[in-house]
Amino acid sequence: MKRTVYILIVMALLLSCGGQKDDRRVITVTIEPLRYFVEQLVEDKAEVVTLVPKGSSPENYEPTAQQMVALGNSMMFVKVGNLGFEQSWTEKLGDLAKDIVIVDSSEGIETIESQSRGVTDQHTWMSCANALVIVKNIYKALKVSDPGNASFYEKRYDALVANIRQINDELSENMKTVKGTSFIIYHPALTYFAKEYGINQIAVEEEGREPSAASLAQVIDRAKAEGVKKMLVQQEFDRRNAEIVAKALNIGMTTINPLSYDWDQEMRNIGKILSSAQSETETSAKE
């Protein structure tokens, strides 16, 4: 009932804003990594606004009524794909804000399951190969919606593509030493990253829920069998179960932030964390 009332309020607010659009060019994105990609392309040609605030999970976030009004007044909405609220809100947005360009940044990306349990990993941006698809989707939409700046966007796109390829080259080289090894993470956010560089992700979380005692024991047993040396946790998730696993494996926990605005730095950071596991193991063996 509350959700129905909330939707009706948002619809009323959106409708009441007809004809009162801000003259500024505004692009709204779902998460901070998408803001990074869009800002690299548009520079000062538009203001880029993120819906999901820092520290919040986009998988269970609900936009405020004010955010939906602002979104309705944007020239473009760049979404991850079908992440959390995107599924329920995109159709309503298209009906109410006819002029807005909705960009599915993950269009063309082959989605994969996070733990072979029928759950699709929506963290498509955590892969250099996927990032190239994402920025191309955004770039194409910008050229169509703002043809007057097409040449500007093309130059920015070429520079961004070159940067992503350079990051991939660095990661491919650094991850050679850990290819075939495993790491453990609370929330399965690195499925695409792991596949791209030939490593195995073991997730603690069970289909978006806290794991049962039996599931937790299975995760620990698997991690021991696969010689896991790294435990990764994300800022926005409860650390209790992660601490239990880390203690059982006698390994430390390292915090990562897949939702960081600084996508390029975070990709490099995760690569260093995972590749360092092998170096630490080799050093311990020598000692």
Side-chain angles (χ1 to χ4, degrees), residues 107-179:
E107 184 178 357
I109 293 175
E110 184 179 351
T111 56
I112 54 179
E113 294 177 359
S114 60
Q115 302 176 72
S116 300
R117 297 173 181 169
V119 179
T120 299
D121 187 353
Q122 301 292 344
H123 301 79
T124 52
W125 65 94
M126 295 307 296
S127 152
C128 288
N130 288 354
L132 291 173
V133 177
I134 289 169
V135 298
K136 187 172 185 179
N137 286 333
I138 299 169
Y139 163 62
K140 287 166 61 179
L142 286 169
K143 283 203 307 178
V144 172
S145 62
D146 185 17
N149 286 310
S151 60
F152 174 85
Y153 296 137
E154 183 176 4
K155 291 178 183 178
R156 300 292 298 177
Y157 171 72
D158 289 343
L160 181 53
V161 166
N163 185 41
I164 293 171
R165 286 177 175 163
Q166 180 181 343
I167 293 169
N168 180 60
D169 289 343
E170 293 173 14
L171 288 170
S172 296
E173 182 63 30
N174 293 338
M175 298 299 288
K176 284 180 180 178
T177 58
V178 291
K179 192 171 184 179

Side-chain angles (χ1 to χ4, degrees), residues 210-227:
E210 287 195 3
S212 62
S215 177
L216 205 58
Q218 290 176 355
V219 166
I220 292 171
D221 288 344
R222 179 186 170 188
K224 285 180 178 178
E226 296 184 20

Side-chain angles (χ1 to χ4, degrees), residues 171-211:
L171 288 170
S172 296
E173 182 63 30
N174 293 338
M175 298 299 288
K176 284 180 180 178
T177 58
V178 291
K179 192 171 184 179
T181 63
S182 302
F183 68 94
I184 192 163
I185 187 170
Y186 183 78
H187 179 68
L190 300 182
T191 310
Y192 298 94
F193 187 102
K195 182 179 180 181
E196 193 152 85
Y197 302 111
I199 54 178
N200 304 311
Q201 172 183 258
I202 301 174
V204 175
E205 190 181 70
E206 191 174 38
E207 299 181 20
R209 303 185 302 273
E210 287 195 3

